[in-house]
Amino acid sequence: MRIRSTVARLAIPAVAIGLIVSGCSSDTSVTASNVDIGGTNDINPKDLGELREGGNLRLALTDFPATFNYLHVDGGNESTSTVIQPTMPDTFVSDAKGDLTVDHNYFTDIKLTNTNPQQVTYTINPKAVWSDGSPITWEDLRSQAQAQAGADRGYQVAAVTGFDRVAKVERGVDDRQAVVTFSKPYAEWQGQFSPLYPKAVTESPGAFNDFARNSLPLSAGPFMVGPIDRTQNRITLVRNPKWWGPAPKLDTITLSVLDHSAWLAAVQNNELDYAYMSGLELVSAAKNTPGIVVRRTPEPSFSHITFNGAPGALLSDPQLRLAISKAIDRQAIVTASQHGIVADPKPLNNHIYMMGQKGYQDNSAPSAFDPNQAAAELDALGWKLNGDVREKDGRKLVLRDVMYQQDQWVDTAKIVQQDLAKVGVKLDIQTVPGTGLFTNVIDPGNFDLAQFSWGGSVLPLSALPQIYAYDPNNLQGNKARIGSPELNAKIEETISELDPAKAIELANECDKMIWQEGYSLPLNQASGTYAVRDNLANIGAFGLASPDWTKVGFLK
């Protein structure tokens, strides 16, 4: 569904990206827009006095959360993020420009109070309580910091997010203040504890795995998890009676698991109020639906093809991955996918920064499209043509490409299939329902190529240790199982750099190394196009901004 805080530390893998689609319509009223992120958003801003009290906002999920613990390796994905975002504390919020301010609902102040050693002091709002009425205290921060740094102690974390650099978390002037001291600098400290979970979730590996596995017993947002209907695959969020902040306008938010192919029809049949739309035909159809308006703002998410480079995998050789990369025409994919939606579509040429974001530069030369060079490199690697398919040591070069069961993903895969066939590589396309795609297929490494999306952040360096650092004993978000000690060292240097300009330089050095190892092929950046009911306010295409769930509602 894509509603989430862009300050969240985890780079979120998403299955229904709403980015890739082939085909176009000759009769549309959609105007192509720029894809550069930052500066604006499109949410129909209205004063609270113009909104009516109550109402149910109906949203879609691509799959049912495997756990409500977003910090867990099974929970660090788009669906879990969508469910918990209105229910859990954040440290900072972002505006449309990507500028951060403290979320005063939860913290009165968060300051970098020392740099040698680095220290951050969190002063908790004295009104802030968990949904059982117990206060949010420094112990919740200490427990979460210990859990997220504790992969070696049995915590199955989705990402360590700098907590491996935390030396200690101590009580400040009282229970409502936490002082975090780092053992070594961490550049993106502003993204830590977003979201914050109660210590009941993080106090032990068992609790971390099981406490929020099937529900979310404790939360602290304007909404809380209410009825869960697993038969209907539906989760209802209700108002939190212990909420101390501005009262939300909505009564409930209903999230239903629905195949992405059915989202447009559900919007048209008045079964959904808000849904991401992909491609010119779907956007045009949504725009022409009575009672629906299309809202658009580019956002920090991108689609990609990730290679499986695990030891023993067919694509374990980086030179083979690069040869195959050179055979794939990313420009053709992006032109087909964003025709009519984005003016002058271009492939994303950076794994860390989005187009329009400070720090973006094109580092994609190692994978530049050149099918003749690709064929020559395959020959040099010993993969010789035998009929239509190359072979080496009796093994055919047949790759399995897995993806969410969505026509748009398959359309992209077919372009890749045609490109690879021209150089003697066979591609088998395998679609998987959203539920289980990561836990059953991608996370165990049961693929050669995998197509999905990463949802990014205004704090992009967080993706480096989460996705691109490689530790075989703690993969975090490294779905490719690709990396090197040299890249790990460069990532370490980057996220230790407190000078933003120097950190950008180092991050691009990392990105060049990521391209050179043939980790993945970024495709296109999200145009951020949503179908929204026209009587909804303060919701739509948020871009870099954080949603304020107390302000979302229906017009009078």
Side-chain angles (χ1 to χ4, degrees), residues 308-317 395 447-448:
N308 183 356
L314 183 55
L315 297 180
S316 60
D317 181 356
R395 188 177 189 182
F447 66 94
D448 295 309

Side-chain angles (χ1 to χ4, degrees), residues 22 40 194 200 248 250 286 317 341 377 440 516 527:
S22 64
T40 61
S194 285
L250 296 169
D317 181 356
I341 299 297
E377 291 181 8
N440 298 334
Q516 289 165 355
S527 59

Side-chain angles (χ1 to χ4, degrees), residues 184-303:
K184 48 188 173 182
Y186 182 57
E188 289 191 341
W189 58 269
Q190 290 168 300
Q192 294 188 305
F193 304 108
S194 285
L196 175 66
Y197 273 82
K199 63 181 180 181
V201 175
T202 57
E203 62 187 353
S204 70
F208 193 77
N209 186 66
D210 298 328
F211 185 88
R213 172 63 62 175
N214 298 311
S215 183
L216 190 60
L218 284 178
S219 57
F223 292 90
M224 56 188 289
V225 174
I228 297 175
D229 187 336
R230 292 183 178 271
T231 302
Q232 298 294 323
N233 274 334
R234 184 175 296 126
I235 300 167
T236 302
L237 307 183
V238 299
R239 289 189 183 185
N240 177 6
K242 300 294 186 180
W243 173 247
W244 59 93
K249 289 296 183 178
L250 296 169
D251 284 327
T252 54
I253 301 171
T254 301
L255 305 111
S256 301
V257 177
L258 190 64
D259 189 270
H260 185 268
S261 63
W263 287 9
L264 174 62
V267 168
Q268 293 174 325
N269 295 332
N270 196 21
E271 297 167 351
L272 287 178
D273 298 310
Y274 176 97
Y276 198 90
M277 290 292 115
S278 59
L280 190 56
E281 291 183 351
L282 294 184
V283 172
S284 300
K287 188 171 184 179
N288 292 325
T289 299
I292 294 297
V293 62
V294 171
R295 304 200 180 281
R296 299 197 300 177
T297 302
E299 59 191 27
S301 303
F302 69 97
S303 61

Side-chain angles (χ1 to χ4, degrees), residues 42 49 103 136 141 152 185 218 222 224 243 296 306 327-328 363 381 458 467 503 516:
D42 184 7
D103 190 333
I136 298 175
L141 281 77
D152 59 335
L218 284 178
M224 56 188 289
W243 173 247
R296 299 197 300 177
T306 284
I328 298 173
N363 297 319
L381 291 170
V458 298
I467 304 173
Q516 289 165 355

Side-chain angles (χ1 to χ4, degrees), residues 435-452:
T435 300
L437 173 61
F438 289 102
T439 55
N440 298 334
V441 180
I442 293 179
D443 289 346
N446 190 16
F447 66 94
D448 295 309
L449 282 68
Q451 296 178 193
F452 58 98

